[in-house]
Amino acid sequence: QITLKESGPTLVKPTQTLTLTCTFSGFSLNTAKVGVGWIRQPPGKALEWLALIYGDDDERYSPSLKSRLTITKDTSKSQVVLTMTNMDPGDTATYYCAHSRTTSGVFGSFDYWGQGTLVTVSS
Amino acid sequence: DMQMTQSPSSLSASVGDRVTITCQAPQDISNFLNWYQQKPGRAPKLLIYDASKLETGVPPRFSGSGSGTHYTLTISSLQPEDVATYFCQQFDYLPLSFGGGTKVQIK
């Protein structure tokens, strides 16, 4: 059974760096067709994809946030870490990590999601 | 960026009604489209992948269709447990992008 869980601070100050950890089980992040992605959702708004890392170390980022994001994986710990620099109140959102499964094309579907963690950016 | 346009933004229908939600892409996305259901306070759940393939465990009243730039999610007979917001997502181009969502309620 695949599970994912996000952890990290619930409150960060403007200009600080956010570090979120996704701890997963039920799969190995060591093949090209399996990945872990981060998606966020501001309160009452739509979903926004942030970053994705595959088992072959391929990393993909949203171009609009690329300069602020870093995604890494630690296969031995079954963890994926997302860092986002220079946080702003506009980054207040629920942050989700999700398992990515490639069935067709280069990218794929997010078929298992963590419960999400609400991060508030405020001084 | 590939901005996905969903319509309607919300709808209200009776139990047993057929419900249709559409998703429009600005250019051909070659069926690289997924549909998700999100209930209040919960994470999204994958319903349909590759435009028309039903995810394991999803009731068959849900179906997806379409091609090119125009895609549809259909609920053949709306049930009370289908109250949720539905999102489409394209995965043909980066950045991966989601539609604005359609909130489905029971009349």
Side-chain angles (χ1 to χ4, degrees):
Chain A
Q1 181 187 1
I2 290 176
T3 64
L4 305 99
K5 187 172 184 179
E6 307 86 353
S7 59
T10 57
L11 179 67
V12 297
K13 290 181 167 47
T15 75
Q16 286 187 335
T17 293
L18 171 68
T19 299
L20 293 173
T21 300
C22 178
T23 303
F24 59 85
S25 63
F27 68 96
S28 294
L29 193 51
N30 58 9
T31 64
K33 289 189 176 293
V34 173
V36 171
W38 286 93
I39 302 100
R40 70 179 179 180
Q41 185 174 37
K45 296 190 177 180
L47 300 159
E48 179 185 17
W49 171 72
L50 302 177
L52 187 52
I53 189 165
Y54 289 98
D56 62 355
D57 294 326
D58 184 16
E59 300 169 22
R60 305 291 180 135
Y61 296 96
S62 172
S64 64
L65 293 167
K66 184 178 170 64
S67 64
R68 299 173 55 202
L69 295 174
T70 303
I71 190 169
T72 60
K73 65 181 178 69
D74 186 333
T75 306
S76 66
K77 293 182 179 179
S78 295
Q79 291 181 333
V80 170
V81 175
L82 180 77
T83 60
M84 180 180 289
T85 61
N86 195 24
M87 293 292 285
D88 177 88
D91 296 315
T92 294
T94 295
Y95 287 75
Y96 296 99
C97 64
H99 174 271
S100 174
R101 175 191 81 200
T102 303
T103 53
S104 63
V106 176
F107 311 106
S109 316
F110 295 112
D111 56 350
Y112 293 90
W113 295 62
Q115 64 190 24
T117 185
L118 176 61
V119 177
T120 301
V121 185
S122 175
S123 54
Chain B
D1 290 7
M2 186 75 62
Q3 186 164 352
M4 305 300 290
T5 304
Q6 264 186 256
S7 61
S9 56
S10 66
L11 65 88
S12 183
S14 299
V15 172
D17 281 355
R18 183 180 185 88
V19 168
T20 300
I21 299 167
T22 65
C23 185
Q24 185 87 22
Q27 61 192 77
D28 189 346
I29 55 171
S30 304
N31 287 5
F32 293 141
L33 183 105
N34 303 314
W35 289 98
Y36 299 87
Q37 175 194 65
Q38 186 178 33
K39 295 185 178 181
R42 304 290 297 274
K45 172 187 174 183
L46 180 65
L47 297 178
I48 302 287
Y49 65 97
D50 296 352
S52 61
K53 298 175 183 176
L54 193 67
E55 178 69 355
T56 302
V58 174
R61 64 179 179 273
F62 292 93
S63 65
S65 63
S67 63
T69 63
H70 189 84
Y71 298 86
T72 299
L73 173 70
T74 299
I75 309 173
S76 60
S77 177
L78 187 67
Q79 300 300 305
E81 60 267 31
D82 301 335
V83 168
T85 300
Y86 295 83
F87 294 95
C88 62
Q89 177 232 330
Q90 67 82 20
F91 58 99
D92 196 18
Y93 296 94
L94 289 183
L96 307 179
S97 53
F98 294 84
T102 297
K103 187 173 185 178
V104 174
Q105 296 176 297
I106 300 291
K107 193 181 294 182

